[in-house]
């Protein structure tokens, strides 16, 4: 129901005549359309064409899948202009105009949207093309490709019907491959294809090029909402777009002979970041052949060797021109570009440019290199690296020593870095299922296709036997930071038998392989990995980040080892040291269980006394690892039943150890059972009921601190009371903690400085709401945004998967609120807590220790509301450092 | 650690010389002390004395149970003044001063605090009293009473040791009752008592009256924190007091001969409210004898008959004087007074006055009567009735027809109204235990004592065989509105054998009796009850309330019967109609289970289609009952697993009915299992996943509304979406609801007005926080404060009892937040929701439908934050109406 005579411009032309879209934004033209306009404007050789806006796509869906009124009129005007500029005519029997039709949204979605080439071919224009190209075979080849592609993509005719018809023709002509079929055969094939088309669509193949165009535009719009496109946006977190634009561009033919070709390239290496033009091309092929990974292409570096009798310097010239264009593009965009080009009879045409996706490694190297090259400055460099991409630099890599003795089965292309070890899965579904069952699997495919998205996302690594560095598998894997080795041709995959054969050996689903995305090696069995370190460009980026950020970064660590590792990654303290894990080992768990089973305070104290030395030792270890830095220790948090055995056999064993009746244990387990343990007797509520638990833990902390101080280790414990909901709770427990600290100090006859802070987690909505009262009792606040999210949404983290996928699919939530902080709701409570807390106590130290502390978008929020620090898992510390810098630099979201 | 030379006045004198406490407040002097000062000031005959402040009690506990320094000095000064005014001296051997020592906090706590009489008796003053009274027996009787009471109350010597010594003396003198023992015997008894005292305390009975006083004051302070006192405050919700005051008053002797006596009275009948002086007295007795219920007293109305040879008009004079005092008191206090008096040789002394506790029935009648008498005005009358006390007027009473044929076993005193039917429990512990096990029990005791508090609170009714209308059982039961028949002397209770005998029959723990608190009848078996109605004074109070309140009152009702009943109580609509209960009956549950077991939308729709007609019928019934009034229907809320059988046998049965394998049912149950169902897949989350559920329910609502309208019944449905946390959720579900409404309207070809509102519950903290966004999608808000409390505190209502008692005991919470709304935390979210919601939509209708809607304090909060209505259970509608009026009149908390 779009308005008639709407004044809104729906089509933007680009070409020599004029370029409408120079200053339009990519949300209207899509990334591809915007860049075609921009390249045209800076004088690069771009075949002319026009772009239908994303707004038309939105209107299409809004009006129940009808093309906006007036759109075809505007398209007709633009076709006329294009015909004039090209000197060709749609459907002409002398020199016909052919166009490609491509999708292009504001965010890049490789392989997701449908493309149609050679549009404009019909029974008449095929004759025209024969005339204008002088190549009958070429003309009919284009025609049969159009019928096939149009039938498949626009009309939904299964590709295999066309395949079958082709096989018949090949048999008739004794041809083994497509190219063996002569012009005559292709003529027959066109006839056969038209019959297939009619049989499966109930109508003749449309001869009117404008009708073809109309249908193609609609097909592109439709492809925006296919399940796989929706799924891709879900995985990538792409939201809020209007839809896809449609780019109609005059054809350049990469398949019009041995002096033609097509390719894709990156201005720098997208995997390593090396400043070297990097790409692949196929001679006598159309663009989709490269991306689809069906034929293994040649490296662009080999292009200068390409020559024909007529053009002995063909490859050299093209290569030189490409390098010039590369420099123009990098200087224009100030960033790495991912381009598509076609060479038609030795003439180079640019079909597309976009910001090059890159691995985290490459992002860091490129950012640092470009600063060195003075292309960008330090702050641009910091903003250029998606903080999450650092995950890749923090992945383990294979131990060089272990690799020396590993059995290398094959070497493919190092398509996406990382070290992946897993068992073999042969279909996407299998990869998904086995991952859910807890297995680490490698997805092994001849080549991947968009249907494999889910499986690729599940697998720890992807291994393909065909396809290059720019194949579907490679591009998608790099985007996600998933390890990928592509085109390992030595491997034969038998999907049906669920086996691979290589070097005479067979590996099945039960076997484990190790693949190295850094060098493409495929190795038998499990190869050991080593931990990453911060050095080189990575260290430089971290140095720059530290220079700009104001947020401090702490880590969540429960052991000296984790503490040490986090310190290596730049952690400035421990924001959350959980104490419950400390009670699970050996004798400790027995004492813990004795404590829980005790029915009076005296017995509880006796059991706690056994735990005290262990706890003290734990804390001495952690204080030593973090010497000079603050360590926030959370008192016991989980409900007591988590420490008791629930199985009959384990209960019997425990009964034997403790010398009690199993019925007693069973009774206590059943007494402690809760309908909603998340909302039950846990956190500080335990200390209200059993103050002796708090006394034991605080005693251990203080004794450990004093022991350290006596050994000249500067211990800085901060005692954190969990799950506080009222000021009175904290008042009472703080008093007990302070009293205990003083008692221990007296007993130990310690006269030095202790300065132990007592604070609380803000993780109950009521605590945030009454933060002004609670602050009176607290030296610090630490937002526990995991529980705060559970309670603010009323979502149980353990159960949320029963409905969260529906919410994400229906866009009722923009992301999983446990992954990225819900700034509107939960964030409102966080901000309220900070403001109210500081109203009472301006010097109040405030941090966050939920898992959101390592999520870049959440870090930016934390910076905005004025937290002093974020605390995250050790491996996310560098990510948080970068995100904190980006926040300080006013970056809104990390990544593009 | 009280400060020396503290300037704070610790003791307040009252007497002819001066009355310090005229203008002091009851929080400092306690209710008793304050009223003694006030009565003295208005010229009533009060024995002089002085009051030690509650602040001293606070200091006593604060300093670790030490009397504040300087207190004894102040007491000495006041004793000196008292001696001067009385012309008697402490410990004097001519005319000794004796005093009583009584506790008295700001809130009345009957039977909870310890009292000591005759303090000042010693070996010397006993001789003095013999001289001054000329009655040796009387003097030694007082002495032995003091030693016994002091030993028991102050020193903790078990009463039975004294009892044993007394029995020896009685045997020696061949006496059956106390009064048979001559003076000589009582002299011996004093000696024996002193020996008992020394044996059990290790020291001699203190001869220094000031030392006795010091110890007695401490004992009173100590009694403030005995478990039973703490428990009473817990049950009554008495919090925030400093402690108890101590009243030291010169003794008036009710036990100094047949021309003396003591009694208690109410200026009006506290059970029925009748305007008739009402009380009981005992001749030749001390005050505690009446309250303790050991001897059955005489009615005050009988007093004029009391005469002695010396004073033939003794009773008539006293009675006349009492009636005069009654009028003075009511005119002074403008309320019913509960008094204690003593007559010493024909002289009347007032020992105490306080606001008389009364039943709900009495409160209503008294308020209305006093307005008629122009003692108070209508608004005072409204504020005078604790809204919760109306509960008693809303209790069922026995069906007069059924009573005609009931077998009356005995008739006791109608001590506290109500109709109770239960099995017999013989101890307080038994009553508690069996009540917890789900039985309705009557607590049957000879007399009750403070130790029985828990059992009395548990039982549905209390039956005693001794004691009068002012006995412990009667007073406590009336305070709580618990049905009580007291002094049913025909009943013989054999506590050991756990049996009662009456009229030659025996009843045991397994037998059921019915007791009528309105007329004192004890009946065999179960007598039918009838529902209460609003009439007479109750109706008048409701009319007044409606005149003043601005809040509208709705009800929570799921059936036409409940709806009808609530309408009778004045409900102005249904604020919460839950639909889940509708799916449990007969065939419905089977269809519901089919729906849940379906693994595709088609099967789900088929099962839902079976449920549709039932739902429609339900709604037609409810709309008809509430015609002309709004009915808010909540869509399905609980998680689906609640509808499936969890036991193996039931699963097998269901499998047989549905013709599926039991394993299928078991698998679905296990698939639906949740770690925290409160935070799981329920509420609107179900409709997001299964929109067809919403479609069915909305279809049923609209079809029912149309059917009603066609029958000229004005149906006003309001559709309420539960558990909304984001505006997008509501946007999506509202759109579906609106679409469904229009579809049904079309199908039904209905062209009339429908005006169905679509709104939401605000029960998730995030919904309150984002109420501005949510209001865009809602025609109304209804605060679901049950879930909102669970989530704001992080308390699971099902599990909270594992720690809530500790929280209440330690005063970390002032009350159970599920009973009375936490205005500071949860209330903050409610207020935020109202303000933000109305920012977006000023006309937004806002109510509350949690159980707090029937809690007076919460109703007052709801008024303050500007809600349009509260919704509560049918029986609480009148309570809410009154509370709403009190709120509008600016009353802060209902009750005194």
């Amino acid at each position: 129901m779009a308005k008639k005579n709407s004044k809104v411009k729906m089509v933007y032309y680009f070409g020599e005549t004029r370029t409408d879209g120079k200053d339009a934004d990519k949300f209207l033209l899509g990334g591809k359309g915007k860049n075609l306009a921009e390249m045209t404007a800076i004088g690069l050789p771009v075949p002319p064409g026009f772009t239908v806006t994303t707004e038309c796509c939105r209107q299409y869906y809004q009006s129940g899948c009808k093309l906006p009124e007036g759109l075809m009129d505007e398209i007709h005007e633009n076709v006329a202009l294009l015909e004039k500029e090209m000197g060709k005519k749609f459907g002409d029997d002398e020199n016909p105009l052919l166009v490609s039709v491509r999708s292009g949204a504001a965010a890049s979605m490789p392989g997701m949207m449908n493309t149609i080439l050679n549009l404009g071919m019909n029974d008449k224009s095929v004759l025209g093309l024969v005339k204008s190209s002088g190549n009958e075979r070429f003309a009919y080849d284009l025609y049969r490709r159009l019928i096939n592609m149009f039938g498949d993509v626009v009309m939904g005719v299964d590709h295999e019907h066309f395949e079958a018809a082709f096989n018949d023709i090949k048999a008739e002509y004794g041809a083994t491959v497509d190219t063996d079929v002569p012009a005559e055969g292709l003529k027959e094939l066109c006839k056969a294809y038209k019959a297939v088309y009619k049989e499966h669509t109930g109508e003749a193949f449309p001869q009117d090029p404008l009708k073809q165009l109309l249908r193609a535009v609609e097909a592109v719009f439709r492809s925006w909402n296919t399940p796989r496109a929706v799924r891709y946006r879900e995985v990538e977190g792409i939201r809020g777009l209007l839809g896809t634009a449609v780019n109609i561009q005059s054809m350049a033919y990469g398949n019009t002979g041995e002096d033609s070709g097509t390719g894709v390239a990156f201005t720098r290496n997208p995997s390593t970041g090396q400043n070297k033009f990097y790409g692949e091309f196929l001679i006598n092929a159309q663009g989709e052949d490269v991306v689809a990974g069906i034929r293994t292409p040649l490296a662009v570096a080999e292009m200068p060797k390409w020559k024909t009798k007529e053009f002995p310097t063909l490859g050299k010239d093209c290569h030189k021109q490409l390098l010039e264009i590369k420099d123009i593009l990098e200087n224009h965009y100030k960033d790495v570009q991912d381009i598509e080009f076609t060479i038609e009879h030795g003439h180079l045409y640019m079909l597309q440019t976009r910001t090059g996706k890159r691995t985290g490694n490459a992002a860091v190297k490129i950012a640092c290199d470009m600063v060195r090259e003075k292309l960008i400055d330090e702050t641009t460099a910091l903003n250029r690296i998606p903080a999450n991409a650092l995950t890749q630099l923090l992945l383990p890599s294979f131990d060089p020593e272990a690799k020396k003795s590993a059995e290398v089965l094959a070497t493919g292309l190092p398509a996406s870095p990382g070290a992946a070890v897993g068992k073999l899965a042969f279909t996407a579904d299998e990869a998904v299922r086995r991952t859910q069952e807890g297995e680490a699997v490698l997805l092994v495919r001849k080549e991947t296709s968009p249907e494999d998205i889910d499986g690729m996302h599940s697998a720890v690594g992807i291994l393909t036997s065909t396809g290059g560095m720019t194949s579907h598998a490679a591009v998608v894997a790099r985007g996600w930071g998933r390890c990928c080795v592509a085109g390992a041709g030595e491997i034969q995959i038998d999907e049906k038998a669920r086996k691979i054969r290589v070097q005479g050996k067979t590996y099945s689903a039960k076997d484990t392989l190790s693949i190295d995305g850094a060098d493409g090696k495929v190795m038998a069995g499990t190869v050991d990995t080593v931990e990453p370190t911060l050095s080189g460009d990575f260290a430089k980026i971290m140095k720059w980040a530290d220079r700009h950020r104001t947020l401090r970064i702490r880590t969540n660590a429960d052991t000296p080892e984790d503490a040490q590792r986090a310190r290596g990654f730049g952690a400035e303290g421990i924001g959350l040291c959980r104490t419950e894990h400390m009670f699970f080992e050996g004798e400790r768990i027995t004492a813990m269980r004795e404590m829980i089973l005790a029915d009076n305070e005296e017995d509880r104290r006796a059991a706690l006394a056994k735990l005290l030395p262990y706890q003290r030792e734990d804390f001495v270890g952690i204080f030593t690892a973090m010497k000079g830095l603050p360590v926030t220790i959370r008192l016991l948090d989980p409900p007591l039943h988590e420490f008791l055995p629930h199985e009959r056999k384990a209960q019997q064993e425990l009964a034997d150890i403790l010398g009690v009746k199993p019925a007693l244990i069973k009774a206590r387990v059943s007494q402690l059972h809760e309908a909603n343990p998340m909302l039950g007797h846990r956190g500080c509520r335990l200390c209200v009921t059993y103050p002796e638990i708090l006394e034991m833990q605080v005693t251990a902390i203080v004794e450990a601190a004093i022991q350290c101080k006596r050994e000249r280790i500067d211990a800085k414990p901060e005692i954190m009371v969990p799950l506080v909901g009222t000021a009175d709770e904290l008042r009472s427990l703080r008093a007990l903690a302070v009293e205990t600290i003083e008692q221990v100090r007296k007993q130990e006859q310690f006269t030095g400085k202790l300065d132990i802070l007592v604070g609380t987690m803000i993780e109950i909505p009521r605590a945030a709401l009454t933060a002004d009262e609670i602050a009176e009792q607290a030296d610090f606040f630490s937002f526990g945004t995991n529980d705060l999210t559970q309670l603010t949404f009323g979502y149980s983290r353990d159960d949320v998967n029963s409905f969260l996928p529906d919410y994400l699919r229906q866009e009722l939530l923009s992301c999983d609120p446990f992954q990225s902080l819900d700034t509107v709701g939960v964030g409102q409570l966080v901000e309220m807590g900070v403001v109210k807390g500081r109203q009472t106590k301006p010097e109040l130290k405030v941090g966050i220790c939920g898992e959101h502390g390592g999520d870049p978008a959440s870090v930016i929020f934390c910076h905005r509301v004025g937290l002093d620090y974020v605390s995250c898992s050790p491996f996310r510390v560098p990510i948080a450092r970068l995100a904190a810098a980006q926040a300080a630099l006013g970056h809104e979201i990390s990544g593009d």
Side-chain angles (χ1 to χ4, degrees), chain A:
Chain A
M1 340 253 172
K3 275 186 222 140
K4 209 165 176 170
N5 298 326
S6 157
K7 296 256 168 69
V8 178
K9 185 173 174 65
M10 291 187 273
V11 180
Y12 285 70
Y13 189 82
F14 56 90
E16 276 181 27
T17 317
R18 64 170 205 258
T19 300
D20 298 333
K22 262 187 309 191
D23 305 314
D25 91 12
K26 74 170 177 181
F27 292 97
L28 188 66
L29 297 187
K32 197 175 285 177
K34 168 71 181 152
N35 284 331
L36 285 171
E38 217 164 314
M39 283 197 293
T40 306
I42 60 174
L44 297 186
V46 176
F50 52 87
T51 303
V52 178
T53 66
T54 58
E55 171 60 21
C56 292
C57 181
R58 192 187 64 81
Q59 286 183 27
Y60 173 79
Y61 280 105
Q62 216 175 26
S63 63
C65 294
K66 286 194 193 105
L67 287 182
E69 260 188 75
L71 174 60
M72 279 321 289
D73 295 342
E74 271 197 56
I75 288 179
H76 289 173
E77 288 161 24
N78 278 275
V79 166
L81 183 54
L82 187 59
E83 287 178 332
K84 196 172 153 206
E85 185 168 323
M86 297 293 291
K88 297 179 174 182
K89 276 200 157 341
F90 241 170
D92 194 29
D93 61 358
E94 290 286 337
N95 190 15
L97 173 68
L98 300 192
V99 297
S100 65
V101 178
R102 292 177 213 253
S103 64
S108 149
M109 287 181 262
M112 279 298 160
M113 310 297 297
N114 298 303
T115 297
I116 293 153
L117 298 179
N118 313 323
L119 194 136
M121 290 302 282
N122 60 18
D123 293 351
K124 199 166 110 189
S125 61
V126 70
L127 300 173
L129 194 62
V130 172
K131 280 187 209 159
S132 65
S133 71
N135 184 340
E136 190 175 35
R137 194 187 179 288
F138 168 67
Y140 282 96
D141 190 43
L142 293 194
Y143 194 17
R144 67 99 186 168
R145 281 175 189 258
L146 174 64
I147 302 166
N148 182 343
M149 217 180 276
F150 194 93
D152 177 1
V153 169
V154 178
M155 305 302 290
V157 179
D158 204 319
H159 176 67
E160 70 182 17
H161 301 304
F162 293 109
E163 197 77 5
F166 203 175
N167 287 340
D168 290 348
I169 300 285
K170 279 197 268 190
E172 190 184 332
Y173 285 87
T176 49
V177 294
D178 300 7
T179 41
D180 294 345
V181 180
E184 204 50 41
L186 291 180
K187 258 193 205 174
E188 262 183 68
L189 185 60
C190 286
K191 224 182 219 166
Y193 270 14
K194 281 188 279 184
V196 166
Y197 184 98
K198 187 160 188 183
E199 185 189 345
H200 290 94
T201 66
E203 57 181 60
F205 177 76
Q207 292 293 321
D208 177 359
L210 283 170
K211 195 169 173 189
Q212 292 174 3
L213 189 54
L214 174 103
R215 293 254 181 107
V217 168
E218 269 198 278
V220 170
F221 284 165
R222 280 202 307 274
S223 75
W224 170 253
N225 264 357
T226 57
R228 72 190 199 208
V230 170
R231 174 78 186 134
Y232 187 89
R233 291 198 292 275
E234 224 173 276
V235 169
E236 288 286 317
I238 298 170
R239 278 157 212 285
L241 300 189
L242 299 172
T244 180
V246 189
N247 299 294
I248 292 108
Q249 191 175 19
S250 50
M251 287 294 302
Y253 309 108
N255 56 342
T256 182
E258 291 302 313
D259 57 356
S260 300
T262 190
V264 298
F266 285 83
T267 56
R268 304 190 184 206
N269 187 311
S271 182
T272 64
Q274 197 188 6
N275 186 2
K276 202 173 155 190
F277 190 59
Y278 174 93
E280 294 162 328
F281 73 108
L282 281 169
I283 295 169
N284 201 6
Q286 278 204 328
E288 303 307 294
D289 302 337
V290 185
V291 177
I294 295 168
R295 281 162 60 192
T296 301
L298 302 168
V300 166
E302 305 292 309
M303 193 182 275
K305 295 182 195 161
W306 177 26
K307 53 183 77 171
T308 61
K309 266 182 237 163
E310 292 80 12
F311 298 107
T313 61
L314 173 73
K316 212 180 268 178
D317 293 350
C318 288
H319 190 249
K320 190 174 159 236
Q321 200 184 347
L322 272 173
L323 291 181
E324 283 163 11
I325 287 172
K326 178 206 94 159
D327 287 340
I328 292 169
L329 285 171
E330 279 207 350
N331 274 309
H332 178 75
Y333 288 104
K334 314 282 188 204
D335 203 353
V336 173
Q337 295 298 300
D338 166 1
I339 61 173
E340 280 183 41
F341 59 88
T342 279
I343 296 160
E344 180 182 331
H345 294 311
H347 291 285
L348 178 70
Y349 293 102
M350 296 296 295
L351 301 187
Q352 172 166 335
T353 189
R354 56 186 173 187
T355 302
K357 294 207 171 192
R358 65 207 81 173
T359 63
N361 285 291
V364 168
K365 177 164 171 51
I366 289 167
C368 290
D369 282 352
M370 286 192 169
V371 170
R372 278 186 284 263
E373 296 160 21
K374 300 204 171 18
L375 214 52
I376 59 175
D377 61 12
E378 179 181 315
T379 60
T380 306
L382 284 171
N383 283 339
R384 191 60 71 70
I385 303 162
N388 261 332
L390 297 184
T391 315
Q392 298 167 30
L393 284 82
L394 294 159
L395 293 176
S397 54
F398 287 116
D399 178 2
E401 284 309 305
K403 272 185 81 171
K404 277 185 197 161
S405 54
E407 181 192 356
V408 177
L409 301 174
T411 302
L413 299 168
S416 179
V421 180
K423 292 186 176 167
L424 309 185
F426 294 87
T427 66
D429 286 350
E430 181 188 352
V432 170
R433 182 177 47 74
R434 288 174 60 193
T435 301
Q436 281 170 350
E437 288 164 11
E439 271 188 276
V441 299
L442 296 177
L443 179 63
V444 182
R445 302 285 283 161
K446 279 180 193 157
E447 51 181 308
T448 65
S449 72
E451 281 81 8
D452 295 327
I453 285 284
D454 279 346
M456 295 168 75
H457 199 249
S458 294
V460 296
I462 301 153
L463 171 61
T464 69
S465 58
T466 61
M469 290 293 284
T470 49
S471 64
H472 179 266
V475 171
V476 172
R478 275 200 297 277
W480 287 336
R482 187 75 75 262
C483 172
C484 176
V485 170
E490 297 143 271
I491 295 175
Q492 290 167 34
I493 302 174
D494 184 343
E495 196 184 303
K496 258 198 189 135
R498 301 180 65 227
K499 280 191 172 62
I500 62 172
R501 285 189 64 80
V502 59
Q503 298 195 353
K505 286 183 201 154
T506 302
Y507 298 88
S508 71
K510 279 183 275 178
D511 295 308
T512 296
L513 298 187
S514 298
I515 63 172
D516 192 339
D519 63 6
K521 286 208 165 60
V522 179
M523 296 162 285
T526 300
V527 178
D528 288 345
T529 54
V530 289
E531 296 296 337
T533 53
L534 257 64
S535 58
D537 284 341
F538 192 2
K540 180 174 285 175
I541 290 290
M542 287 295 103
K543 209 178 90 189
W544 290 345
D546 291 350
R547 195 139 72 196
H548 292 281
R549 71 183 162 91
T550 55
L551 264 179
R552 301 190 78 80
I553 313 296
R554 296 198 191 180
T555 191
N556 301 346
D558 311 337
T559 62
E561 296 69 39
D562 276 358
Q564 195 60 57
R565 178 178 299 124
R567 216 178 165 150
F569 286 142
E572 299 162 294
I574 290 181
L576 175 62
C577 173
R578 290 170 287 252
T579 53
E580 44 271 20
H581 304 304
M582 300 174 179
F583 296 116
F584 276 101
E585 290 162 34
E587 290 168 45
R588 301 176 173 204
I589 185 70
T590 306
M592 187 70 188
R593 288 167 169 177
E594 261 179 68
M595 192 274 289
I596 296 167
L597 291 167
D599 60 2
N600 62 71
E601 191 184 323
E602 198 186 331
D603 290 355
R604 263 195 306 278
R605 285 193 184 274
L608 286 165
K610 295 184 199 170
L611 289 168
L612 177 62
Y614 293 118
Q615 279 263 280
R616 187 175 48 223
E617 202 183 314
D618 294 331
F619 296 136
V620 167
I622 290 169
F623 294 157
T624 306
M626 294 307 280
K627 58 179 174 260
L629 297 178
V631 175
T632 306
I633 298 164
R634 180 175 73 180
L635 300 178
L636 193 68
D637 186 56
L640 296 183
H641 55 73
E642 286 194 10
F643 297 95
L644 290 184
H646 287 73
E647 300 297 313
R648 211 166 59 92
K649 207 179 135 221
Q651 289 180 353
Q652 177 69 58
E653 282 167 14
L654 179 60
D656 292 346
I657 293 171
L658 300 181
V660 298
K661 285 186 186 151
L664 178 84
I665 293 164
K666 205 179 147 193
R668 186 76 175 129
V669 167
S670 130
Q671 185 198 354
L672 289 174
H673 172 81
E674 294 182 310
N676 296 289
M678 157 67 208
L679 308 172
H681 199 181
R682 50 176 286 246
C684 73
R685 297 165 198 172
L686 292 172
C687 294
V688 167
T689 312
Y690 309 115
E692 51 275 12
I693 296 178
L694 179 144
E695 286 174 46
M696 182 281 279
Q697 291 203 292
V698 172
T699 301
I701 292 167
V702 182
E703 287 181 357
I706 290 174
Q707 182 178 327
C708 284
K709 296 226 166 188
R710 286 185 170 146
E711 292 165 15
R712 312 233 159 204
I713 293 161
D714 186 15
K716 292 188 160 178
E718 303 180 338
I719 295 169
M720 181 155 72
V721 180
L723 218 68
V724 160
T726 73
D728 282 338
E729 262 174 336
L730 187 58
R731 179 179 296 118
S732 159
L733 296 175
R734 180 197 174 84
L736 185 58
V738 168
E739 196 184 306
T740 308
I741 293 170
E742 286 314 309
Q743 261 173 18
V744 176
R745 178 201 278 281
K746 255 185 224 161
Q747 265 162 16
E748 294 280 325
Q749 298 181 301
F750 183 77
T751 52
K753 224 172 110 179
L754 270 178
D755 281 344
I756 299 176
L757 304 185
V758 181
T760 185
M761 276 181 93
I762 303 288
E763 52 186 336
I764 298 278
R766 198 179 184 285
L769 290 163
T770 60
D772 45 346
E773 297 176 6
I774 291 176
E776 285 173 19
Q777 310 301 324
D779 299 324
F780 63 88
F781 280 178
S782 178
F783 287 92
T785 47
N786 296 351
D787 277 5
L788 194 60
T789 298
Q790 294 200 80
L791 292 168
T792 305
F793 273 94
Y795 290 170
S796 161
R797 210 170 170 185
D798 293 328
D799 304 311
V800 76
N801 281 329
S802 54
F803 55 89
L804 191 62
D806 293 325
Y807 272 69
L808 293 173
R809 201 166 300 129
Q810 296 179 35
E811 301 212 349
L812 300 181
L813 286 174
S814 63
C815 62
D816 177 350
F818 293 106
Q819 274 179 17
S820 197
L821 191 76
D822 160 50
T823 54
V824 176
V826 182
Q828 197 178 141
L829 283 177
V830 171
E831 191 162 6
M832 192 184 295
V834 174
V835 171
K836 288 192 172 191
R838 293 217 176 113
Q839 258 165 24
T840 300
K841 200 175 268 182
E843 74 285 7
L844 189 77
K845 187 151 67 161
V846 184
I848 181 180
C849 64
E851 280 169 44
H852 298 107
D855 168 65
S858 309
V859 170
I860 286 167
F861 172 81
C862 292
H863 173 86
R864 190 172 69 66
V865 300
L867 295 200
D868 295 307
Y869 67 87
V870 299
S871 186
C872 56
S873 64
F875 283 105
R876 296 199 78 83
V877 166
I879 294 166
R881 286 164 77 187
L882 177 54
Q886 291 172 343
L889 293 170
H891 203 46
E892 257 311 297
I893 24 160
S894 62
D896 73 343

